[in-house]
């Protein structure tokens, strides 16, 4: 167990399954909701998840200690494609957890963005692997003063990238996508939607006709223009449309 | 020339496979996608009178040879479902699946589905994990008769009734559908099932039990269709564990006029329909079945509907052997 910040903890558990960067698992603690969590650490015999306490299930997971049990099923989803040339990896908030394995396995340049320095997570780990890691905080309390997309544009002006990999709040992903379009470079964005089965059968997590849990969660620059619901709407657990803006 | 056209009563489908209810069919665009994958039709998610979140997570888990779900019929409610149907209906045949607590609700829901452009309604008389709905109303032949009659008088489109395998009086329920004027039965929905975590010493699903689907369900479904065929005159649509052309052929030979695929959309991907269609076509060609209806009921020793049709060499061989014995 690792305390990443005041509200975020990493839990390491023994699990032999083969997992690709960007994939996720469904996590269950008896008596609680089962929820999706990105795999934030990939070793042969152990994996980890990094959990931000925001509601009932995540707060209860935070109460777990060494030796306590959780049930994991998965891994699910497609994951990132790490073979797309010179890459820049961007993590916003707890979305950083989802891109850490991509940074570890590729050693690519990276940005970790958060509201304040207290919200920056996993930067020590990322620094060990990334060729060039930069931090952005909204209030300027650490690293670049501004948001992830502003810093990304700055780095893209310095160096040539072929593809940006990102996970974070949907608004950040949206502007990352716009910036990549302007720069004429590729992108792979990891999305979030309400999940039930996590495995691609119930259809509750769709964005347009794509299942975020199975066809995603990572979508690239060829798929994103077809996702008309991106940064517009999502579906609630009944399947009703909820506006995002 | 082999034709894959499937006829279910008055309805004709270009391809014999349909997407089963509850799989990639809660939104208009998902249904459109599946229609583009070689399915002859899509059965919508089962829709009720009001929006329903379904059961809390965990509501799904994989198991050996299949999966157990207790989604609990999540759906946006019949009013909002109009928007999804508007998107899907122009792209192909949509069968509107509905669930209600009794004849009145079923009648009202079916009327809406007809208005929305559904080519048929499928009555969910079989969900094993929804309190007061599904199989709780679908295992009493009298209730089934009342519901089917009510829906028949409410709509002009064909009325299909989806049955549960969790009953020892399946044939009686099938007869109740037929006697009430139902146009077809769909068999089967999931088998009531449970998965327990030994470490936590408790059932995994929040609802405790759920419904088993996938490969393991196939022999159960094939038997159900076979038995129903021996008592019913109305068409049967087979469903349960179909993932290959062989599975589909088993159902058709048991007596199904068409079939549905659910869980295999997960295990094989949405392209499963194209693979089944190709394999089925090749098999039908090699074994001399000119059409799906020619193969229908072929596994019945005699009197299976298709025995009356004679565009097959295989059957004649069997006849000869029987006579020699
Ligand atoms: C693919 C994917 C990967 C994720 N990875 C991480 C991660 O690595 N670390 C992390 O801290 N969080 C991650 N999340 C978000 C995490 O699932 C939610 O924070 C968690 O479900 C909240 O549950 P709760 O009971 O604590 O809060 P609640 O109060 O129940 O919910 C708070 C919010 O969390 C979201 N949420 C709740 N249940 C679900 C669900 N079943 N599916 C999707 N979203 C839900 C909803 O937006 C909801 O409004 C991920 C989500 C997805 C879809
Ligand atoms: C996740 C899931 C949701 C389902 N939802 C419904 C539903 O809403 N209505 C219904 O009649 N059947 C529902 N079913 C049952 C299927 O339509 C089908 O009858 C069953 O899964 C057996 O077929 P299969 O083995 O091909 O999946 C659901 C099945 C699954 C796996
Ligand atoms: S969560 Fe069920 S299809 Fe994605």
């Amino acid at each position: 167990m690792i305390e990443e910040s005041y509200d975020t903890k990493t839990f390491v558990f023994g699990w032999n399954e083969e997992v690709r960067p960007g994939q996720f698992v469904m996590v269950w603690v008896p008596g609680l909701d089962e929820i999706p969590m990105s795999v934030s650490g990939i070793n042969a015999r152990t994996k980890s998840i990094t959990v931000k306490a925001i509601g009932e299930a995540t707060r209860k997971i935070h109460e777990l200690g060494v030796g306590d049990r959780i049930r994991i099923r998965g891994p699910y989803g497609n994951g990132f494609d790490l073979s797309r040339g010179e890459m820049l990896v961007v993590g916003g908030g707890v979305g950083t957890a989802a891109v850490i394995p991509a940074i570890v396995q590729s050693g690519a340049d990276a940005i970790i963005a958060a509201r304040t320095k207290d919200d920056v997570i996993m930067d020590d780990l990322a620094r060990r692997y990334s060729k060039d890691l930069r931090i952005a905080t909204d209030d300027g309390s650490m690293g670049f003063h501004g948001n992830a997309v502003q810093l990304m544009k700055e780095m893209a002006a310095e160096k040539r990238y072929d593809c940006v990999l990102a996970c974070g709040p949907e608004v950040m992903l949206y502007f990352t996508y716009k910036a990549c379009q302007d720069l004429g470079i590729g992108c792979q964005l990891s999305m979030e939607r309400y999940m039930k089965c996590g495995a691609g059968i119930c259809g509750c997590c769709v964005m347009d006709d794509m299942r975020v849990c199975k066809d995603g969660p990572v979508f690239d620059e060829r798929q994103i223009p077809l996702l008309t619901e991106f940064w517009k709407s999502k579906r609630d657990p009944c399947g009703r449309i909820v506006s995002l803006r | 020339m082999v034709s894959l056209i499937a006829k279910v009563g008055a309805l004709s489908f270009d391809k014999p496979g349909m997407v089963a209810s509850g799989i990639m069919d809660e939104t208009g665009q998902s249904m459109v996608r599946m229609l583009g994958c070689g399915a002859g039709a899509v059965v919508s998610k089962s829709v009720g009178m009001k929006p329903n979140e379904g059961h809390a997570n965990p509501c799904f888990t994989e198991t050996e040879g299949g999966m157990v779900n207790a989604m609990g019929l999540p759906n946006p409610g019949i009013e909002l479902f109009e928007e999804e149907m508007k998107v899907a209906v122009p792209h192909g045949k949509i069968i509107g699946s509905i669930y209600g607590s009794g004849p009145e609700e079923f009648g009202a829901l079916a009327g809406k589905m007809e208005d929305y452009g559904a080519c048929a309604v499928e009555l969910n008389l079989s969900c094993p994990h929804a309190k007061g709905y599904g199989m709780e109303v679908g295992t009493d032949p009298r209730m089934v008769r009342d519901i089917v009659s009510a829906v028949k008088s409410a709509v002009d489109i064909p009325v299909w009734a989806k049955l549960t395998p969790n009953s020892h009086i399946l044939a009686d329920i099938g007869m109740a559908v037929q006697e009430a004027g139902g146009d077809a039965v769909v068999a089967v929905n999931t088998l009531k099932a449970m998965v327990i975590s030994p470490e936590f010493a408790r059932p995994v699903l929040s609802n405790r039990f759920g419904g088993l689907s996938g490969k393991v369900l196939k022999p159960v479904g094939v038997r159900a269709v076979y038995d129903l065929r021996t008592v019913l005159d109305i068409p049967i649509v087979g469903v349960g564990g179909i993932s290959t052309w062989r599975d589909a052929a088993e159902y058709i030979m048991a007596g199904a006029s068409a079939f549905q695929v659910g869980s295999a959309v997960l295990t094989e991907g949405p392209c499963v329909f194209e693979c089944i269609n190709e394999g089925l076509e090749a098999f039908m060609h090699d074994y001399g079945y000119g059409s799906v209806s020619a193969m229908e009921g072929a596994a019945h020793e005699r009197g299976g509907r298709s025995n009356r049709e004679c565009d097959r060499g295989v059957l004649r061989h069997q006849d000869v052997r029987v006579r020699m014995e």
Side-chain angles (χ1 to χ4, degrees), chain B residues 21 43-47 95-99 113 120-124:
Chain B
S21 179
V43 185
S44 79
K45 177 73 202 166
S46 292
V47 179
I95 294 146
S97 173
I98 52 178
Y99 72 93
M113 279 294 188
V121 282
E122 185 180 286
L123 314 180
N124 182 344

Side-chain angles (χ1 to χ4, degrees), chain A residues 73-174:
Chain A
R73 59 182 177 90
Y76 296 120
N78 54 1
F80 292 107
D81 176 1
L82 300 184
S83 66
R84 295 198 45 193
E86 209 49 50
M87 296 182 298
L88 174 61
V89 183
V90 184
V94 74
T96 305
V99 298
I100 286 286
I103 298 174
V104 169
Q105 291 190 14
S106 70
D109 289 4
I111 295 171
I112 292 178
R115 282 200 309 272
T116 74
K117 69 175 192 319
D118 296 332
D119 298 290
V120 173
I121 57 168
M122 309 179 95
D123 49 323
D124 289 340
L125 179 64
R127 195 165 289 113
R128 254 183 276 146
Y129 292 93
S130 170
K131 289 199 299 286
D132 181 1
L133 172 75
R134 306 200 200 167
I135 309 292
T137 49
D138 294 343
D139 67 352
S141 53
M142 185 175 175
F144 177 82
H145 188 169
N147 66 37
V149 183
Q150 290 164 328
L151 178 54
M152 180 206 123
K153 285 182 186 159
E154 206 158 277
M155 287 177 78
E158 282 172 37
K159 308 186 196 180
R160 170 76 212 167
Y161 296 107
D162 299 304
C163 188
V164 174
L165 279 56
C167 183
E170 196 148 324
V171 55
M172 174 196 116
L173 296 179
Y174 181 75

Side-chain angles (χ1 to χ4, degrees), chain A residues 24 26 73 193-206 210-215, chain B residues 24 60 71 266:
Chain A
F24 70 95
M26 294 297 288
R73 59 182 177 90
R193 281 296 180 269
Y194 194 86
M195 287 180 186
K196 293 185 177 185
C197 74
I201 191 151
C202 71
C204 79
C205 65
V206 288
M210 301 300 265
R211 296 161 296 176
V212 171
C213 72
K214 180 91 177 182
D215 303 304
Chain B
M24 285 290 284
F60 170 91
M71 306 308 299
L266 179 162

Side-chain angles (χ1 to χ4, degrees), chain B residues 299-320:
Chain B
H300 290 260
E301 283 123 60
R302 54 181 60 232
R305 281 180 159 191
S306 52
N307 279 11
R308 273 170 256 138
E309 296 182 27
C310 271
D311 55 346
R312 304 171 301 157
V314 180
L315 183 69
R316 270 178 243 123
H317 286 302
Q318 283 178 346
D319 279 350
V320 170

Side-chain angles (χ1 to χ4, degrees), chain A residues 208-226:
Chain A
D208 297 82
D209 63 353
M210 301 300 265
R211 296 161 296 176
V212 171
C213 72
K214 180 91 177 182
D215 303 304
V218 178
F219 295 100
D220 68 18
E221 71 279 1
R222 281 160 305 171
Q223 298 167 308
I224 293 165
L226 305 175

Side-chain angles (χ1 to χ4, degrees), chain B residues 3-311:
Chain B
S3 160
L4 282 183
I5 290 175
K7 290 207 171 64
V8 181
L11 288 176
S12 176
F13 300 92
D14 290 345
K15 296 287 183 296
M18 310 168 198
V19 180
S21 179
I23 284 89
M24 285 290 284
D25 50 13
E26 195 175 303
T27 71
Q29 282 174 304
S30 316
M31 293 193 265
V32 174
R33 174 174 174 188
M34 296 311 297
L35 284 168
C37 286
V42 171
V43 185
S44 79
K45 177 73 202 166
S46 292
V47 179
M49 300 295 286
K50 291 204 194 74
N52 176 18
E53 287 200 1
H55 294 308
N57 283 3
C59 55
F60 170 91
T61 188
E62 285 100 345
T63 180
E64 298 82 0
M67 53 201 75
V68 179
N69 88 83
M71 306 308 299
L73 300 174
N75 76 94
I78 192 72
E79 296 300 330
L80 286 174
F81 206 67
E82 180 170 15
E83 294 307 311
E84 313 299 341
M85 292 292 281
K86 261 189 203 155
V87 173
V89 165
H91 294 265
K93 289 200 162 69
I94 307 294
I95 294 146
S97 173
I98 52 178
Y99 72 93
S101 57
E104 263 169 45
E105 282 191 14
F106 269 104
L109 291 162
K112 290 279 185 190
M113 279 294 188
E114 182 172 40
D115 295 345
Y116 299 165
C119 69
V121 282
E122 185 180 286
L123 314 180
N124 182 344
L125 302 174
S126 44
C127 179
H129 47 75
K131 195 125 196 60
Y133 298 107
M135 104 179 218
E136 291 194 9
V137 296
T139 43
D140 171 4
R142 246 188 333 189
M143 184 65 143
V144 168
R145 198 170 296 127
D146 292 348
I147 291 170
V148 174
S149 306
V151 175
K152 276 306 283 183
S153 45
V155 297
D156 292 326
I157 51 176
V159 177
W160 299 1
K162 185 166 176 187
L163 308 185
T164 174
N166 304 290
S167 166
H168 62 286
I169 51 164
L170 186 65
D172 297 345
I173 300 167
M175 280 308 285
V177 174
Q178 179 166 308
E179 282 163 17
D183 297 280
V185 296
V186 181
V188 293
N189 207 313
T190 52
L191 258 185
K192 209 165 170 176
M194 180 182 278
V195 174
I196 288 174
S197 159
E199 288 84 3
F200 293 137
R202 61 192 288 166
V204 169
L205 301 182
S206 72
N207 188 55
R208 300 196 308 283
F209 61 87
L212 176 69
S213 66
K215 278 188 196 307
V216 285
L217 185 59
K218 186 185 70 172
V220 175
V222 169
R223 193 280 302 173
V225 170
Y226 188 95
D227 281 358
L228 286 167
R229 180 74 290 148
T230 60
V231 295
L232 297 185
D233 296 318
I234 55 175
I236 301 167
V237 177
V239 51
I242 298 177
S243 65
T244 66
W245 68 264
R246 296 188 70 90
D247 305 331
E250 282 194 52
Y251 271 96
I252 296 168
M253 291 187 170
S257 311
F259 58 90
Q260 299 178 353
V261 178
S263 305
V265 172
L266 179 162
T267 53
E268 316 298 312
C271 63
V272 63
F273 287 97
E274 268 150 21
C275 298
I276 292 176
N277 291 342
E278 255 172 52
L280 205 55
E281 200 163 6
F283 170 75
M284 287 163 68
H285 177 267
D286 292 349
Y287 282 75
Y289 294 103
S291 64
V292 175
S293 63
M295 192 166 38
E296 188 182 318
H300 290 260
E301 283 123 60
R302 54 181 60 232
R305 281 180 159 191
S306 52
N307 279 11
R308 273 170 256 138
E309 296 182 27
C310 271
D311 55 346

